[in-house]
Amino acid sequence: MARTVFSERGETVRLDSISTGPPKGITKGKARQRFAALGAEMFELQDAMFGAKVNSAMVVLQGRDSAGKDGTIKHVVGCLNPRGVNVVSFGVPTLEERQHDFLWRVHRHAPRIGEFSIFNRSHYEDVLVVRVHGLVPRKLWKERYDHIADFEELLAEHGTIVLKYFLHISRKEQKERLLERERTPQTAWKLNVNDWKERDRWDEYTEAYEDAISKTAARHAPWTVVPADKKWYRNLVVAESIAEALREHRKGWKSTLEEMGRKRRAELAAYRAERAAKKKG
Ligand code: ADP
């Protein structure tokens, strides 16, 4: 499957060398079938993670306007049990948020043990839009890569499975999506003149994304560049990646759950024995 995973800090990232479309040979029908199977698997794994209370998962979705962050959330979260999933969108920081360090608003939404946090935009905006628009001095945003890497390491040490996705669309596809949004009465409300303004800064964003991915990629917090021109393929790649990451923990979670089951059974047996003894007495 054409997916590009970055899990080493400092790796070179060249977005223009990564395809925005699906590889040849994969059909929409097959992808949908596989997505359904992955959805069922994710549901089962989520249940095990929820019960075992050893790990949690933080899924970060980043991408240009109209790249499909919302659509991915709708499809992937749609496979999960809503109990135990927290979806958070990060927009322009509020006054209160601006009065704190840039990670404050994100850290409060880090997942509780056993649960998922799914982020539509994230702390990465502080090295993306903030960098491109020069919203803080260069020195400040440059230092943020280390802060982000340390933050994600802290979460990983706490048992959080950190997964980061860049939804990679082509300039042409973005234009079509924005025009389609304008043409369609049901979606015209989403129009935002800023989307076109940001599009003018395409190359600056490309550079900012490449740096962000390269400087914060880690084994415990990998980045996946997701070919996102086709929604069905984008959903498949994200689902495949999440399922794969959770799958690694399946055995551990299952044995924790079995151990818990044995303990609970023993407690119940002890209670029944005590009750029976009392009755006799
Ligand atoms: P979306 O475009 O994700 O559907 P919005 O229309 O609410 O949602 O846009 C959110 C906006 O907030 C984006 O333009 C994004 O760049 C901006 N934003 C997010 N985080 C920050 C930040 N830390 N500083 C400045 N702007 C930010």
Side-chain angles (χ1 to χ4, degrees), residues 216-251:
T216 65
R219 206 155 293 224
H220 56 263
W223 270 105
T224 302
V225 176
V226 182
D229 278 356
K230 294 281 178 236
K231 295 170 185 173
W232 53 267
Y233 187 65
R234 170 203 76 199
N235 295 338
L236 175 65
V237 172
V238 174
E240 189 85 67
S241 162
I242 295 176
E244 193 179 295
L246 300 183
R247 211 179 280 142
E248 278 181 34
H249 297 269
R250 177 187 266 131
K251 251 179 137 177

PDB file of all heavy atoms in Angstrom, residues 216-251:
ATOM      1  N   THR A 216       9.603  16.139  14.080  1.00  0.00           N
ATOM      2  CA  THR A 216       8.847  15.558  15.206  1.00  0.00           C
ATOM      3  C   THR A 216       8.505  14.089  14.973  1.00  0.00           C
ATOM      4  O   THR A 216       7.746  13.511  15.740  1.00  0.00           O
ATOM      5  CB  THR A 216       7.531  16.336  15.454  1.00  0.00           C
ATOM      6  OG1 THR A 216       6.701  16.168  14.300  1.00  0.00           O
ATOM      7  CG2 THR A 216       7.771  17.807  15.728  1.00  0.00           C
ATOM      8  N   ALA A 217       9.082  13.518  13.922  1.00  0.00           N
ATOM      9  CA  ALA A 217       8.815  12.089  13.671  1.00  0.00           C
ATOM     10  C   ALA A 217       9.571  11.271  14.706  1.00  0.00           C
ATOM     11  O   ALA A 217      10.711  11.587  15.034  1.00  0.00           O
ATOM     12  CB  ALA A 217       9.268  11.723  12.264  1.00  0.00           C
ATOM     13  N   ALA A 218       8.934  10.266  15.232  1.00  0.00           N
ATOM     14  CA  ALA A 218       9.586   9.403  16.220  1.00  0.00           C
ATOM     15  C   ALA A 218       8.930   8.035  16.153  1.00  0.00           C
ATOM     16  O   ALA A 218       7.777   7.920  15.722  1.00  0.00           O
ATOM     17  CB  ALA A 218       9.443   9.984  17.619  1.00  0.00           C
ATOM     18  N   ARG A 219       9.658   7.046  16.600  1.00  0.00           N
ATOM     19  CA  ARG A 219       9.093   5.702  16.598  1.00  0.00           C
ATOM     20  C   ARG A 219       7.798   5.651  17.420  1.00  0.00           C
ATOM     21  O   ARG A 219       6.844   4.997  17.062  1.00  0.00           O
ATOM     22  CB  ARG A 219      10.116   4.728  17.179  1.00  0.00           C
ATOM     23  CG  ARG A 219       9.951   3.330  16.691  1.00  0.00           C
ATOM     24  CD  ARG A 219      11.268   2.618  16.786  1.00  0.00           C
ATOM     25  NE  ARG A 219      12.208   3.214  15.840  1.00  0.00           N
ATOM     26  CZ  ARG A 219      12.998   2.500  15.067  1.00  0.00           C
ATOM     27  NH1 ARG A 219      12.957   1.197  15.112  1.00  0.00           N
ATOM     28  NH2 ARG A 219      13.832   3.086  14.236  1.00  0.00           N
ATOM     29  N   HIS A 220       7.812   6.369  18.545  1.00  0.00           N
ATOM     30  CA  HIS A 220       6.637   6.356  19.425  1.00  0.00           C
ATOM     31  C   HIS A 220       5.593   7.387  18.985  1.00  0.00           C
ATOM     32  O   HIS A 220       4.552   7.507  19.626  1.00  0.00           O
ATOM     33  CB  HIS A 220       7.060   6.638  20.877  1.00  0.00           C
ATOM     34  CG  HIS A 220       7.811   7.932  21.007  1.00  0.00           C
ATOM     35  ND1 HIS A 220       9.175   7.994  21.026  1.00  0.00           N
ATOM     36  CD2 HIS A 220       7.372   9.206  21.078  1.00  0.00           C
ATOM     37  CE1 HIS A 220       9.545   9.256  21.114  1.00  0.00           C
ATOM     38  NE2 HIS A 220       8.470  10.018  21.136  1.00  0.00           N
ATOM     39  N   ALA A 221       5.886   8.164  17.940  1.00  0.00           N
ATOM     40  CA  ALA A 221       4.931   9.175  17.461  1.00  0.00           C
ATOM     41  C   ALA A 221       5.136   9.391  15.966  1.00  0.00           C
ATOM     42  O   ALA A 221       5.552  10.462  15.520  1.00  0.00           O
ATOM     43  CB  ALA A 221       5.131  10.488  18.231  1.00  0.00           C
ATOM     44  N   PRO A 222       4.850   8.356  15.163  1.00  0.00           N
ATOM     45  CA  PRO A 222       5.126   8.459  13.728  1.00  0.00           C
ATOM     46  C   PRO A 222       4.147   9.360  12.974  1.00  0.00           C
ATOM     47  O   PRO A 222       3.006   9.541  13.401  1.00  0.00           O
ATOM     48  CB  PRO A 222       4.971   7.003  13.257  1.00  0.00           C
ATOM     49  CG  PRO A 222       4.019   6.393  14.231  1.00  0.00           C
ATOM     50  CD  PRO A 222       4.264   7.068  15.547  1.00  0.00           C
ATOM     51  N   TRP A 223       4.635   9.883  11.870  1.00  0.00           N
ATOM     52  CA  TRP A 223       3.793  10.633  10.932  1.00  0.00           C
ATOM     53  C   TRP A 223       3.489   9.739   9.742  1.00  0.00           C
ATOM     54  O   TRP A 223       4.393   9.072   9.227  1.00  0.00           O
ATOM     55  CB  TRP A 223       4.556  11.845  10.389  1.00  0.00           C
ATOM     56  CG  TRP A 223       4.426  13.098  11.175  1.00  0.00           C
ATOM     57  CD1 TRP A 223       5.381  13.635  12.001  1.00  0.00           C
ATOM     58  CD2 TRP A 223       3.313  14.006  11.186  1.00  0.00           C
ATOM     59  NE1 TRP A 223       4.909  14.815  12.531  1.00  0.00           N
ATOM     60  CE2 TRP A 223       3.655  15.064  12.040  1.00  0.00           C
ATOM     61  CE3 TRP A 223       2.066  14.016  10.553  1.00  0.00           C
ATOM     62  CZ2 TRP A 223       2.786  16.142  12.289  1.00  0.00           C
ATOM     63  CZ3 TRP A 223       1.199  15.083  10.802  1.00  0.00           C
ATOM     64  CH2 TRP A 223       1.562  16.124  11.660  1.00  0.00           C
ATOM     65  N   THR A 224       2.280   9.762   9.281  1.00  0.00           N
ATOM     66  CA  THR A 224       1.943   9.083   8.038  1.00  0.00           C
ATOM     67  C   THR A 224       1.448  10.131   7.045  1.00  0.00           C
ATOM     68  O   THR A 224       0.553  10.920   7.372  1.00  0.00           O
ATOM     69  CB  THR A 224       0.839   8.022   8.259  1.00  0.00           C
ATOM     70  OG1 THR A 224       1.309   7.093   9.231  1.00  0.00           O
ATOM     71  CG2 THR A 224       0.515   7.267   6.980  1.00  0.00           C
ATOM     72  N   VAL A 225       2.053  10.153   5.869  1.00  0.00           N
ATOM     73  CA  VAL A 225       1.573  11.039   4.798  1.00  0.00           C
ATOM     74  C   VAL A 225       0.531  10.229   4.028  1.00  0.00           C
ATOM     75  O   VAL A 225       0.839   9.183   3.468  1.00  0.00           O
ATOM     76  CB  VAL A 225       2.726  11.498   3.893  1.00  0.00           C
ATOM     77  CG1 VAL A 225       2.192  12.339   2.730  1.00  0.00           C
ATOM     78  CG2 VAL A 225       3.753  12.301   4.699  1.00  0.00           C
ATOM     79  N   VAL A 226      -0.706  10.719   4.052  1.00  0.00           N
ATOM     80  CA  VAL A 226      -1.828   9.947   3.504  1.00  0.00           C
ATOM     81  C   VAL A 226      -2.244  10.505   2.140  1.00  0.00           C
ATOM     82  O   VAL A 226      -2.662  11.668   2.057  1.00  0.00           O
ATOM     83  CB  VAL A 226      -3.052  10.044   4.460  1.00  0.00           C
ATOM     84  CG1 VAL A 226      -4.217   9.218   3.943  1.00  0.00           C
ATOM     85  CG2 VAL A 226      -2.676   9.632   5.875  1.00  0.00           C
ATOM     86  N   PRO A 227      -2.142   9.723   1.082  1.00  0.00           N
ATOM     87  CA  PRO A 227      -2.642  10.198  -0.219  1.00  0.00           C
ATOM     88  C   PRO A 227      -4.148  10.460  -0.087  1.00  0.00           C
ATOM     89  O   PRO A 227      -4.910   9.523   0.172  1.00  0.00           O
ATOM     90  CB  PRO A 227      -2.369   9.018  -1.161  1.00  0.00           C
ATOM     91  CG  PRO A 227      -1.314   8.206  -0.465  1.00  0.00           C
ATOM     92  CD  PRO A 227      -1.596   8.369   1.002  1.00  0.00           C
ATOM     93  N   ALA A 228      -4.557  11.717  -0.242  1.00  0.00           N
ATOM     94  CA  ALA A 228      -5.929  12.060   0.161  1.00  0.00           C
ATOM     95  C   ALA A 228      -6.798  12.610  -0.974  1.00  0.00           C
ATOM     96  O   ALA A 228      -7.894  13.125  -0.726  1.00  0.00           O
ATOM     97  CB  ALA A 228      -5.878  13.059   1.330  1.00  0.00           C
ATOM     98  N   ASP A 229      -6.341  12.479  -2.216  1.00  0.00           N
ATOM     99  CA  ASP A 229      -7.177  12.975  -3.318  1.00  0.00           C
ATOM    100  C   ASP A 229      -8.464  12.171  -3.465  1.00  0.00           C
ATOM    101  O   ASP A 229      -9.488  12.689  -3.901  1.00  0.00           O
ATOM    102  CB  ASP A 229      -6.404  12.946  -4.647  1.00  0.00           C
ATOM    103  CG  ASP A 229      -5.504  14.174  -4.805  1.00  0.00           C
ATOM    104  OD1 ASP A 229      -5.544  15.063  -3.929  1.00  0.00           O
ATOM    105  OD2 ASP A 229      -4.744  14.223  -5.797  1.00  0.00           O
ATOM    106  N   LYS A 230      -8.375  10.883  -3.137  1.00  0.00           N
ATOM    107  CA  LYS A 230      -9.587  10.046  -3.172  1.00  0.00           C
ATOM    108  C   LYS A 230      -9.992   9.734  -1.738  1.00  0.00           C
ATOM    109  O   LYS A 230      -9.204   9.151  -0.974  1.00  0.00           O
ATOM    110  CB  LYS A 230      -9.306   8.718  -3.914  1.00  0.00           C
ATOM    111  CG  LYS A 230      -9.003   8.915  -5.382  1.00  0.00           C
ATOM    112  CD  LYS A 230     -10.272   9.142  -6.181  1.00  0.00           C
ATOM    113  CE  LYS A 230      -9.977   9.396  -7.635  1.00  0.00           C
ATOM    114  NZ  LYS A 230     -10.509  10.654  -8.161  1.00  0.00           N
ATOM    115  N   LYS A 231     -11.221  10.100  -1.412  1.00  0.00           N
ATOM    116  CA  LYS A 231     -11.662   9.953  -0.017  1.00  0.00           C
ATOM    117  C   LYS A 231     -11.639   8.495   0.438  1.00  0.00           C
ATOM    118  O   LYS A 231     -11.251   8.190   1.564  1.00  0.00           O
ATOM    119  CB  LYS A 231     -13.063  10.549   0.149  1.00  0.00           C
ATOM    120  CG  LYS A 231     -13.055  12.053  -0.093  1.00  0.00           C
ATOM    121  CD  LYS A 231     -14.439  12.647  -0.174  1.00  0.00           C
ATOM    122  CE  LYS A 231     -14.321  14.124  -0.539  1.00  0.00           C
ATOM    123  NZ  LYS A 231     -15.611  14.754  -0.799  1.00  0.00           N
ATOM    124  N   TRP A 232     -12.069   7.606  -0.441  1.00  0.00           N
ATOM    125  CA  TRP A 232     -12.139   6.187  -0.064  1.00  0.00           C
ATOM    126  C   TRP A 232     -10.763   5.620   0.220  1.00  0.00           C
ATOM    127  O   TRP A 232     -10.600   4.775   1.090  1.00  0.00           O
ATOM    128  CB  TRP A 232     -12.859   5.359  -1.136  1.00  0.00           C
ATOM    129  CG  TRP A 232     -12.333   5.496  -2.539  1.00  0.00           C
ATOM    130  CD1 TRP A 232     -12.785   6.374  -3.480  1.00  0.00           C
ATOM    131  CD2 TRP A 232     -11.258   4.772  -3.144  1.00  0.00           C
ATOM    132  NE1 TRP A 232     -12.067   6.231  -4.646  1.00  0.00           N
ATOM    133  CE2 TRP A 232     -11.126   5.250  -4.470  1.00  0.00           C
ATOM    134  CE3 TRP A 232     -10.411   3.763  -2.717  1.00  0.00           C
ATOM    135  CZ2 TRP A 232     -10.180   4.767  -5.365  1.00  0.00           C
ATOM    136  CZ3 TRP A 232      -9.458   3.263  -3.603  1.00  0.00           C
ATOM    137  CH2 TRP A 232      -9.342   3.771  -4.906  1.00  0.00           C
ATOM    138  N   TYR A 233      -9.748   6.117  -0.477  1.00  0.00           N
ATOM    139  CA  TYR A 233      -8.401   5.614  -0.228  1.00  0.00           C
ATOM    140  C   TYR A 233      -7.826   6.241   1.050  1.00  0.00           C
ATOM    141  O   TYR A 233      -7.197   5.558   1.856  1.00  0.00           O
ATOM    142  CB  TYR A 233      -7.491   5.887  -1.436  1.00  0.00           C
ATOM    143  CG  TYR A 233      -6.149   5.223  -1.280  1.00  0.00           C
ATOM    144  CD1 TYR A 233      -6.039   3.836  -1.249  1.00  0.00           C
ATOM    145  CD2 TYR A 233      -4.990   5.979  -1.109  1.00  0.00           C
ATOM    146  CE1 TYR A 233      -4.810   3.214  -1.072  1.00  0.00           C
ATOM    147  CE2 TYR A 233      -3.759   5.363  -0.931  1.00  0.00           C
ATOM    148  CZ  TYR A 233      -3.683   3.977  -0.913  1.00  0.00           C
ATOM    149  OH  TYR A 233      -2.472   3.367  -0.725  1.00  0.00           O
ATOM    150  N   ARG A 234      -8.086   7.520   1.215  1.00  0.00           N
ATOM    151  CA  ARG A 234      -7.649   8.228   2.431  1.00  0.00           C
ATOM    152  C   ARG A 234      -8.189   7.521   3.681  1.00  0.00           C
ATOM    153  O   ARG A 234      -7.437   7.221   4.616  1.00  0.00           O
ATOM    154  CB  ARG A 234      -8.199   9.664   2.354  1.00  0.00           C
ATOM    155  CG  ARG A 234      -8.048  10.471   3.602  1.00  0.00           C
ATOM    156  CD  ARG A 234      -9.078  11.593   3.603  1.00  0.00           C
ATOM    157  NE  ARG A 234     -10.415  11.118   3.913  1.00  0.00           N
ATOM    158  CZ  ARG A 234     -11.546  11.777   3.633  1.00  0.00           C
ATOM    159  NH1 ARG A 234     -11.519  12.906   2.973  1.00  0.00           N
ATOM    160  NH2 ARG A 234     -12.710  11.284   3.997  1.00  0.00           N
ATOM    161  N   ASN A 235      -9.472   7.199   3.680  1.00  0.00           N
ATOM    162  CA  ASN A 235     -10.078   6.524   4.839  1.00  0.00           C
ATOM    163  C   ASN A 235      -9.422   5.175   5.092  1.00  0.00           C
ATOM    164  O   ASN A 235      -9.168   4.795   6.230  1.00  0.00           O
ATOM    165  CB  ASN A 235     -11.577   6.312   4.627  1.00  0.00           C
ATOM    166  CG  ASN A 235     -12.331   7.622   4.558  1.00  0.00           C
ATOM    167  OD1 ASN A 235     -11.850   8.647   5.051  1.00  0.00           O
ATOM    168  ND2 ASN A 235     -13.510   7.602   3.954  1.00  0.00           N
ATOM    169  N   LEU A 236      -9.163   4.482   4.002  1.00  0.00           N
ATOM    170  CA  LEU A 236      -8.557   3.155   4.123  1.00  0.00           C
ATOM    171  C   LEU A 236      -7.164   3.250   4.749  1.00  0.00           C
ATOM    172  O   LEU A 236      -6.825   2.487   5.659  1.00  0.00           O
ATOM    173  CB  LEU A 236      -8.473   2.501   2.734  1.00  0.00           C
ATOM    174  CG  LEU A 236      -7.757   1.164   2.690  1.00  0.00           C
ATOM    175  CD1 LEU A 236      -8.515   0.116   3.492  1.00  0.00           C
ATOM    176  CD2 LEU A 236      -7.570   0.691   1.248  1.00  0.00           C
ATOM    177  N   VAL A 237      -6.367   4.194   4.268  1.00  0.00           N
ATOM    178  CA  VAL A 237      -4.985   4.315   4.762  1.00  0.00           C
ATOM    179  C   VAL A 237      -4.970   4.658   6.252  1.00  0.00           C
ATOM    180  O   VAL A 237      -4.219   4.072   7.032  1.00  0.00           O
ATOM    181  CB  VAL A 237      -4.206   5.366   3.943  1.00  0.00           C
ATOM    182  CG1 VAL A 237      -2.847   5.651   4.572  1.00  0.00           C
ATOM    183  CG2 VAL A 237      -4.024   4.889   2.510  1.00  0.00           C
ATOM    184  N   VAL A 238      -5.835   5.576   6.656  1.00  0.00           N
ATOM    185  CA  VAL A 238      -5.860   5.966   8.072  1.00  0.00           C
ATOM    186  C   VAL A 238      -6.343   4.786   8.927  1.00  0.00           C
ATOM    187  O   VAL A 238      -5.745   4.475   9.960  1.00  0.00           O
ATOM    188  CB  VAL A 238      -6.725   7.234   8.294  1.00  0.00           C
ATOM    189  CG1 VAL A 238      -6.864   7.548   9.778  1.00  0.00           C
ATOM    190  CG2 VAL A 238      -6.118   8.427   7.557  1.00  0.00           C
ATOM    191  N   ALA A 239      -7.383   4.118   8.475  1.00  0.00           N
ATOM    192  CA  ALA A 239      -7.913   2.985   9.247  1.00  0.00           C
ATOM    193  C   ALA A 239      -6.872   1.875   9.345  1.00  0.00           C
ATOM    194  O   ALA A 239      -6.667   1.283  10.412  1.00  0.00           O
ATOM    195  CB  ALA A 239      -9.191   2.459   8.600  1.00  0.00           C
ATOM    196  N   GLU A 240      -6.209   1.605   8.240  1.00  0.00           N
ATOM    197  CA  GLU A 240      -5.174   0.546   8.224  1.00  0.00           C
ATOM    198  C   GLU A 240      -4.067   0.885   9.220  1.00  0.00           C
ATOM    199  O   GLU A 240      -3.611   0.031   9.986  1.00  0.00           O
ATOM    200  CB  GLU A 240      -4.599   0.454   6.805  1.00  0.00           C
ATOM    201  CG  GLU A 240      -3.680  -0.727   6.551  1.00  0.00           C
ATOM    202  CD  GLU A 240      -4.440  -2.001   6.181  1.00  0.00           C
ATOM    203  OE1 GLU A 240      -5.058  -2.062   5.103  1.00  0.00           O
ATOM    204  OE2 GLU A 240      -4.385  -2.932   6.992  1.00  0.00           O
ATOM    205  N   SER A 241      -3.682   2.137   9.239  1.00  0.00           N
ATOM    206  CA  SER A 241      -2.595   2.550  10.126  1.00  0.00           C
ATOM    207  C   SER A 241      -3.007   2.483  11.601  1.00  0.00           C
ATOM    208  O   SER A 241      -2.238   2.011  12.444  1.00  0.00           O
ATOM    209  CB  SER A 241      -2.172   3.980   9.737  1.00  0.00           C
ATOM    210  OG  SER A 241      -1.448   4.564  10.760  1.00  0.00           O
ATOM    211  N   ILE A 242      -4.213   2.942  11.907  1.00  0.00           N
ATOM    212  CA  ILE A 242      -4.665   2.898  13.311  1.00  0.00           C
ATOM    213  C   ILE A 242      -4.793   1.439  13.765  1.00  0.00           C
ATOM    214  O   ILE A 242      -4.313   1.065  14.841  1.00  0.00           O
ATOM    215  CB  ILE A 242      -6.005   3.659  13.495  1.00  0.00           C
ATOM    216  CG1 ILE A 242      -5.808   5.155  13.222  1.00  0.00           C
ATOM    217  CG2 ILE A 242      -6.563   3.446  14.904  1.00  0.00           C
ATOM    218  CD1 ILE A 242      -7.085   5.983  13.270  1.00  0.00           C
ATOM    219  N   ALA A 243      -5.416   0.623  12.913  1.00  0.00           N
ATOM    220  CA  ALA A 243      -5.599  -0.787  13.288  1.00  0.00           C
ATOM    221  C   ALA A 243      -4.246  -1.464  13.518  1.00  0.00           C
ATOM    222  O   ALA A 243      -4.064  -2.203  14.487  1.00  0.00           O
ATOM    223  CB  ALA A 243      -6.386  -1.518  12.203  1.00  0.00           C
ATOM    224  N   GLU A 244      -3.307  -1.161  12.653  1.00  0.00           N
ATOM    225  CA  GLU A 244      -1.974  -1.765  12.771  1.00  0.00           C
ATOM    226  C   GLU A 244      -1.307  -1.369  14.097  1.00  0.00           C
ATOM    227  O   GLU A 244      -0.720  -2.206  14.785  1.00  0.00           O
ATOM    228  CB  GLU A 244      -1.147  -1.258  11.591  1.00  0.00           C
ATOM    229  CG  GLU A 244       0.150  -1.977  11.355  1.00  0.00           C
ATOM    230  CD  GLU A 244       0.849  -1.376  10.129  1.00  0.00           C
ATOM    231  OE1 GLU A 244       0.303  -1.495   9.011  1.00  0.00           O
ATOM    232  OE2 GLU A 244       1.911  -0.766  10.315  1.00  0.00           O
ATOM    233  N   ALA A 245      -1.445  -0.101  14.450  1.00  0.00           N
ATOM    234  CA  ALA A 245      -0.814   0.372  15.691  1.00  0.00           C
ATOM    235  C   ALA A 245      -1.466  -0.270  16.920  1.00  0.00           C
ATOM    236  O   ALA A 245      -0.785  -0.622  17.878  1.00  0.00           O
ATOM    237  CB  ALA A 245      -0.904   1.888  15.761  1.00  0.00           C
ATOM    238  N   LEU A 246      -2.776  -0.407  16.886  1.00  0.00           N
ATOM    239  CA  LEU A 246      -3.479  -0.994  18.036  1.00  0.00           C
ATOM    240  C   LEU A 246      -3.209  -2.496  18.128  1.00  0.00           C
ATOM    241  O   LEU A 246      -3.047  -3.051  19.211  1.00  0.00           O
ATOM    242  CB  LEU A 246      -4.985  -0.768  17.941  1.00  0.00           C
ATOM    243  CG  LEU A 246      -5.513   0.673  17.905  1.00  0.00           C
ATOM    244  CD1 LEU A 246      -7.029   0.673  17.884  1.00  0.00           C
ATOM    245  CD2 LEU A 246      -5.024   1.485  19.090  1.00  0.00           C
ATOM    246  N   ARG A 247      -3.146  -3.115  16.946  1.00  0.00           N
ATOM    247  CA  ARG A 247      -2.964  -4.567  16.855  1.00  0.00           C
ATOM    248  C   ARG A 247      -1.730  -5.044  17.629  1.00  0.00           C
ATOM    249  O   ARG A 247      -1.727  -6.087  18.233  1.00  0.00           O
ATOM    250  CB  ARG A 247      -2.820  -4.928  15.383  1.00  0.00           C
ATOM    251  CG  ARG A 247      -3.341  -6.282  15.001  1.00  0.00           C
ATOM    252  CD  ARG A 247      -3.150  -6.470  13.507  1.00  0.00           C
ATOM    253  NE  ARG A 247      -4.157  -5.835  12.683  1.00  0.00           N
ATOM    254  CZ  ARG A 247      -3.897  -5.230  11.504  1.00  0.00           C
ATOM    255  NH1 ARG A 247      -2.670  -5.162  11.028  1.00  0.00           N
ATOM    256  NH2 ARG A 247      -4.869  -4.691  10.817  1.00  0.00           N
ATOM    257  N   GLU A 248      -0.695  -4.221  17.601  1.00  0.00           N
ATOM    258  CA  GLU A 248       0.545  -4.575  18.307  1.00  0.00           C
ATOM    259  C   GLU A 248       0.302  -4.811  19.792  1.00  0.00           C
ATOM    260  O   GLU A 248       1.087  -5.472  20.450  1.00  0.00           O
ATOM    261  CB  GLU A 248       1.548  -3.425  18.188  1.00  0.00           C
ATOM    262  CG  GLU A 248       2.310  -3.427  16.909  1.00  0.00           C
ATOM    263  CD  GLU A 248       3.310  -2.285  16.861  1.00  0.00           C
ATOM    264  OE1 GLU A 248       3.875  -1.920  17.907  1.00  0.00           O
ATOM    265  OE2 GLU A 248       3.494  -1.749  15.751  1.00  0.00           O
ATOM    266  N   HIS A 249      -0.746  -4.197  20.310  1.00  0.00           N
ATOM    267  CA  HIS A 249      -1.018  -4.286  21.751  1.00  0.00           C
ATOM    268  C   HIS A 249      -2.060  -5.349  22.083  1.00  0.00           C
ATOM    269  O   HIS A 249      -2.363  -5.562  23.246  1.00  0.00           O
ATOM    270  CB  HIS A 249      -1.516  -2.930  22.270  1.00  0.00           C
ATOM    271  CG  HIS A 249      -0.502  -1.844  22.124  1.00  0.00           C
ATOM    272  ND1 HIS A 249       0.408  -1.538  23.115  1.00  0.00           N
ATOM    273  CD2 HIS A 249      -0.238  -1.005  21.094  1.00  0.00           C
ATOM    274  CE1 HIS A 249       1.184  -0.553  22.689  1.00  0.00           C
ATOM    275  NE2 HIS A 249       0.810  -0.205  21.474  1.00  0.00           N
ATOM    276  N   ARG A 250      -2.627  -5.951  21.051  1.00  0.00           N
ATOM    277  CA  ARG A 250      -3.763  -6.858  21.281  1.00  0.00           C
ATOM    278  C   ARG A 250      -3.448  -7.925  22.327  1.00  0.00           C
ATOM    279  O   ARG A 250      -4.187  -8.088  23.302  1.00  0.00           O
ATOM    280  CB  ARG A 250      -4.204  -7.505  19.971  1.00  0.00           C
ATOM    281  CG  ARG A 250      -5.340  -8.503  20.182  1.00  0.00           C
ATOM    282  CD  ARG A 250      -5.667  -9.267  18.931  1.00  0.00           C
ATOM    283  NE  ARG A 250      -6.744  -8.640  18.177  1.00  0.00           N
ATOM    284  CZ  ARG A 250      -6.697  -8.381  16.874  1.00  0.00           C
ATOM    285  NH1 ARG A 250      -5.608  -8.670  16.191  1.00  0.00           N
ATOM    286  NH2 ARG A 250      -7.717  -7.837  16.264  1.00  0.00           N
ATOM    287  N   LYS A 251      -2.314  -8.604  22.131  1.00  0.00           N
ATOM    288  CA  LYS A 251      -1.949  -9.707  23.028  1.00  0.00           C
ATOM    289  C   LYS A 251      -1.849  -9.220  24.470  1.00  0.00           C
ATOM    290  O   LYS A 251      -2.376  -9.863  25.384  1.00  0.00           O
ATOM    291  CB  LYS A 251      -0.602 -10.287  22.594  1.00  0.00           C
ATOM    292  CG  LYS A 251      -0.719 -11.660  21.987  1.00  0.00           C
ATOM    293  CD  LYS A 251       0.638 -12.128  21.585  1.00  0.00           C
ATOM    294  CE  LYS A 251       0.841 -13.575  21.971  1.00  0.00           C
ATOM    295  NZ  LYS A 251       2.154 -14.047  21.499  1.00  0.00           N
TER     296      LYS A 251
END
